Amino acid sequence: MRARLISKTGPCPGLSFNLKSSTMTIGRVPGTDIVVPSPEVSREHARIVFENGRYYIEDLKSTNGTYLNTMEVARESLNHLDVITFGKTTDFIVLLRESDEAADARGAEIAEATFAPEGGGAASLRLTKPVTTVGRAAPSDFIIDDPSVSKQHAQIERQPDRIRLMDLGSANGTFVNGNRITTLTLEEGDVVAFAGSPRFTLQLVKSMAAGSARPGKSAGKGALPQALPPAPAAEPELPKTRIGPIPQAWADAARGKLSQAEPPAPAAEPELPKTRIGPIPQAWADAAKGTRPPPPPPAPGLEPIPPTVTIEALRDSGAGPESPPTSPAPRAPVLAPFKGDEGRKAIDLKPGVSTVGRTDDRDIVIDDHRISRLHATFHVDEYVVLLTDEGSANGTYVNDERIKWRELKEGDVIRFGAVLYRLTFRPK
């Protein structure tokens, strides 16, 4: 697994730290693995531990606390795009990428996800959106009419290969299998309770059998064995004639097969007919068959006529065999304006951190009164484009959904206030 922390706010915004498959300490003094020079951060504030294939954040009894997605934690597992806060204003975003082997072992993508109530006393919750909120009243997507449930109680994120549950600071807590949680990646069959509400069981339908391997790779431990190919049908015994078995060549001919033991002999050239004065000359016979004799050698002292096009010329012109395919060229992200918005131009997103706002000191300046002075920030590197809202007044939207942070994909529609862009890529 590849993992990194990207500093979002605090004394070192934009800096990236690779996480090791071991324990890494975080603090404000030299000697810690990740140094955050902020008075809010303790000398040894927290540590990140790698155990059983997962990363965990642990607070080291810091003065100002360690928070995961705004909830104070002592120890909690980390997920992709989690936000860790040290103190009050120092935020880091977690980026996790699984190796191919881990993705193979995890299984296929989720086709359907449903929270089914136990006992049938409540409505079932089918996850059809990337983010679903649960609470006692609107604007929650799934409403549970129970006084123990908070107005906005929890949030469920549906990712292509996992379901993630997050408590939103509810008064009476969110529970999985009887344990109170703040953030947790769920497994099929987990039992979830929102405070004292009816319990729900997570049911998953995947697009293929879990544990199946990617094409071209071995199935690995726990995969179903592949079925053995069917045995070829036995050849029927050849019938016998009065003088013995039928010859194999005859049997093959009867089945429509050609014997591969001996190739058929080429047809013999017919003997040339003879005239009264002897055989027909070979040149006459070639003309009758439509063949031409080889050209005579050039007369002595004359240069042979060179061919019009040489092999070298064909090779230089590219008309010869195709060269082997090359690996695809790297691509750079671009913010493309929509058709009809003549006043805006495409914007190249450069590697690193780019700020968006209406003032001239921003990297991407959008001159619109609905855009905040510091509206949003892009974090771009070799394999991810991350967009975060910086507390703007009119919001940052991806595909008509207001976001705090989001990893972008090609074709996503991004809206700052009322200004629209589409994320595309071009060759570098």
Side-chain angles (χ1 to χ4, degrees):
M1 177 179 289
R2 296 173 296 174
R4 290 190 301 156
L5 292 183
I6 294 181
S7 177
K8 180 176 178 288
T9 60
C12 46
L15 288 185
S16 174
F17 302 91
N18 292 322
L19 299 183
K20 303 176 183 177
S21 298
S22 58
T23 300
M24 299 182 66
T25 56
I26 302 169
R28 75 167 186 266
V29 297
T32 52
D33 297 299
I34 299 177
V35 179
V36 183
S38 170
E40 295 182 350
V41 177
S42 299
R43 297 171 62 86
E44 288 192 0
H45 194 105
R47 65 181 180 181
I48 294 178
V49 181
F50 186 76
E51 291 180 359
N52 300 321
R54 299 208 63 176
Y55 285 95
Y56 296 83
I57 182 70
E58 294 182 357
D59 185 78
L60 297 179
K61 298 181 179 179
S62 61
T63 303
N64 294 311
T66 300
Y67 297 80
L68 183 64
N69 302 320
T70 72
M71 298 293 295
E72 188 170 9
V73 295
R75 173 185 166 97
E76 194 68 48
S77 62
L78 297 177
N79 293 284
H80 185 52
L81 296 184
D82 274 348
V83 175
I84 305 173
T85 305
F86 304 111
K88 298 185 181 299
T89 60
T90 304
D91 293 340
F92 285 82
I93 299 175
V94 180
L95 295 182
L96 299 180
R97 284 291 184 276
E98 288 183 323
S99 62
D100 290 342
E101 291 76 10
D104 290 339
R106 187 188 66 243
E109 293 187 354
I110 295 173
E112 294 182 8
T114 305
F115 284 89
E118 292 188 352
S124 61
L125 168 58
R126 185 175 180 181
L127 302 182
T128 58
K129 302 194 304 181
V131 178
T132 301
T133 54
V134 178
R136 190 178 72 243
S140 297
D141 301 305
F142 185 71
I143 296 177
I144 301 176
D145 187 12
D146 189 303
S148 64
V149 177
S150 299
K151 290 185 178 180
Q152 286 194 316
H153 194 101
Q155 174 177 291
I156 304 170
E157 294 182 3
R158 175 177 173 171
Q159 300 178 10
D161 54 4
R162 68 190 67 188
I163 304 296
R164 184 178 168 207
L165 176 63
M166 179 190 306
D167 186 86
L168 298 179
S170 62
N172 296 310
T174 301
F175 298 83
V176 176
N177 302 325
N179 299 315
R180 187 165 184 169
I181 61 98
T182 53
T183 302
L184 186 67
T185 298
L186 301 179
E187 302 290 343
E188 185 173 10
D190 280 346
V191 178
V192 178
F194 305 100
S197 69
R199 298 189 300 176
F200 296 82
T201 301
L202 177 61
Q203 299 175 350
L204 300 179
V205 177
K206 296 190 176 181
S207 57
M208 60 168 50
S212 60
R214 293 184 181 180
K217 295 190 178 183
S218 60
K221 183 178 179 181
L224 295 176
Q226 295 183 354
L228 295 176
E235 289 284 349
E237 185 179 356
L238 297 176
K240 294 184 179 180
T241 65
R242 291 183 180 180
I243 59 174
I246 295 177
Q248 184 67 41
W250 296 5
D252 290 341
R255 298 185 187 116
K257 300 190 299 182
L258 291 177
S259 175
Q260 298 181 357
E262 295 182 2
E269 288 284 344
E271 186 178 357
L272 296 176
K274 295 183 180 180
T275 65
R276 292 183 179 180
I277 59 174
I280 295 176
Q282 184 65 42
W284 297 4
D286 290 339
K289 297 173 187 173
T291 61
R292 298 179 62 185
L302 296 179
E303 293 290 335
I305 300 175
T308 305
V309 181
T310 64
I311 298 297
E312 289 75 9
L314 283 174
R315 187 181 299 115
D316 295 341
S317 68
E322 294 182 358
S323 58
T326 59
S327 58
R331 302 190 303 162
V334 178
L335 292 181
F338 277 74
K339 292 182 179 180
D341 195 352
E342 307 296 342
R344 306 196 185 279
K345 298 181 180 179
I347 301 172
D348 293 328
L349 295 178
K350 300 178 181 179
V353 179
S354 298
T355 55
V356 181
R358 75 169 187 266
T359 57
D360 293 338
D361 57 341
R362 303 303 169 203
D363 301 303
I364 300 173
V365 179
I366 302 178
D367 187 12
D368 189 292
H369 68 278
R370 290 161 290 193
I371 304 298
S372 299
R373 294 176 181 271
L374 175 58
H375 197 100
T377 303
F378 285 98
H379 297 263
V380 179
D381 66 9
E382 67 274 11
Y383 67 90
V384 68
V385 178
L386 185 67
L387 174 63
T388 59
D389 184 83
E390 299 294 347
S392 61
N394 293 309
T396 301
Y397 295 79
V398 176
N399 301 326
D400 286 333
E401 180 183 345
R402 188 164 185 169
I403 58 104
K404 291 183 178 179
W405 59 89
R406 179 66 57 86
E407 181 179 348
L408 301 179
K409 305 182 297 296
E410 185 169 12
D412 280 346
V413 177
I414 304 162
R415 176 159 62 91
F416 305 109
V419 180
L420 291 172
Y421 289 94
R422 186 185 300 277
L423 181 66
T424 62
F425 288 84
R426 61 169 180 77
K428 287 187 177 181

Coordinates of all heavy atoms in Angstrom, one line a residue, residues 248-249 252-253 257-264:
Q248 N -5.3 -46.0 -41.7 CA -5.6 -44.8 -41.0 C -5.9 -43.7 -42.0 O -6.7 -42.8 -41.8 CB -4.4 -44.4 -40.2 CG -4.6 -43.1 -39.3 CD -5.6 -43.3 -38.3 OE1 -5.7 -44.4 -37.6 NE2 -6.5 -42.3 -38.1
A249 N -5.2 -43.6 -43.1 CA -5.4 -42.6 -44.1 C -6.8 -42.6 -44.7 O -7.4 -41.6 -44.9 CB -4.4 -42.7 -45.3
D252 N -9.1 -41.2 -41.9 CA -9.0 -39.7 -41.8 C -9.8 -39.1 -43.0 O -10.4 -38.1 -42.8 CB -7.5 -39.3 -41.8 CG -6.8 -39.7 -40.6 OD1 -7.5 -39.9 -39.6 OD2 -5.6 -39.7 -40.5
A253 N -9.6 -39.6 -44.1 CA -10.4 -39.1 -45.3 C -11.9 -39.2 -45.1 O -12.6 -38.2 -45.4 CB -9.9 -39.8 -46.6
K257 N -10.6 -35.3 -42.4 CA -9.3 -34.9 -41.9 C -8.2 -35.3 -42.9 O -8.4 -36.3 -43.6 CB -9.0 -35.4 -40.5 CG -10.0 -35.0 -39.5 CD -9.5 -35.3 -38.1 CE -9.3 -36.8 -38.0 NZ -8.9 -37.2 -36.6
L258 N -7.2 -34.6 -42.9 CA -6.0 -34.9 -43.7 C -5.0 -35.5 -42.7 O -4.7 -35.0 -41.7 CB -5.4 -33.7 -44.4 CG -6.2 -33.2 -45.6 CD1 -5.5 -31.9 -46.1 CD2 -6.4 -34.2 -46.7
S259 N -4.4 -36.6 -43.1 CA -3.3 -37.2 -42.3 C -2.1 -36.2 -42.2 O -1.7 -35.7 -43.2 CB -2.9 -38.5 -42.9 OG -1.8 -39.0 -42.2
Q260 N -1.7 -36.0 -41.0 CA -0.5 -35.1 -40.8 C 0.8 -35.8 -40.8 O 1.8 -35.2 -40.7 CB -0.7 -34.3 -39.5 CG -1.9 -33.5 -39.4 CD -2.0 -32.7 -38.1 OE1 -1.2 -32.9 -37.2 NE2 -3.0 -31.9 -37.9
A261 N 0.7 -37.1 -41.0 CA 2.0 -37.9 -41.0 C 2.8 -37.5 -42.2 O 4.0 -37.3 -42.1 CB 1.7 -39.4 -40.9
E262 N 2.2 -37.5 -43.4 CA 2.9 -37.3 -44.6 C 2.1 -36.2 -45.4 O 0.9 -36.4 -45.7 CB 3.1 -38.6 -45.4 CG 3.9 -39.6 -44.7 CD 4.1 -40.8 -45.6 OE1 3.6 -40.8 -46.7 OE2 4.7 -41.8 -45.2
P263 N 2.8 -35.1 -45.8 CA 2.1 -34.2 -46.7 C 1.8 -34.8 -48.0 O 2.5 -35.6 -48.5 CB 3.0 -33.0 -46.7 CG 4.4 -33.6 -46.5 CD 4.1 -34.8 -45.6
P264 N 0.7 -34.3 -48.7 CA 0.4 -34.9 -50.0 C 1.5 -34.5 -51.0 O 2.1 -33.5 -51.0 CB -1.0 -34.2 -50.3 CG -1.0 -33.0 -49.5 CD -0.3 -33.3 -48.2

